Amino acid sequence: MPTIKPIKRKELIYCLQQLNFKGPYSGGKHQFMVKGIRNKEQETREKTLLGTLS
């Protein structure tokens, strides 16, 4: 079984960003990252696609 070793914070953030996480954002005592932020352009595109399928 592979051992888990510590990694640097910058390396962790870089890896999470490669997995489409956004951030880090400040919040309370800790920073956090979010996956799956939707913007207006994506919502408009999906509504258009759903409208054409109906």
Side-chain angles (χ1 to χ4, degrees), residues 14-23 33-37:
Y14 175 78
C15 290
L16 290 173
Q17 287 174 340
Q18 297 303 307
L19 295 170
N20 295 323
F21 281 80
K22 307 295 182 203
M33 298 184 77
V34 178
K35 184 171 182 170
I37 293 178

Side-chain angles (χ1 to χ4, degrees), residues 9-53:
R9 182 178 183 276
K10 283 188 174 185
E11 186 178 342
L12 174 64
I13 291 172
Y14 175 78
C15 290
L16 290 173
Q17 287 174 340
Q18 297 303 307
L19 295 170
N20 295 323
F21 281 80
K22 307 295 182 203
Y25 300 108
S26 296
K29 293 183 179 180
H30 304 284
Q31 292 184 333
F32 62 95
M33 298 184 77
V34 178
K35 184 171 182 170
I37 293 178
R38 302 174 63 93
N39 61 27
K40 287 287 187 182
E41 182 179 325
Q42 288 174 327
E43 291 177 10
T44 305
R45 188 177 321 129
E46 288 175 0
K47 287 179 184 177
T48 305
L49 288 173
L50 290 174
T52 58
L53 294 176

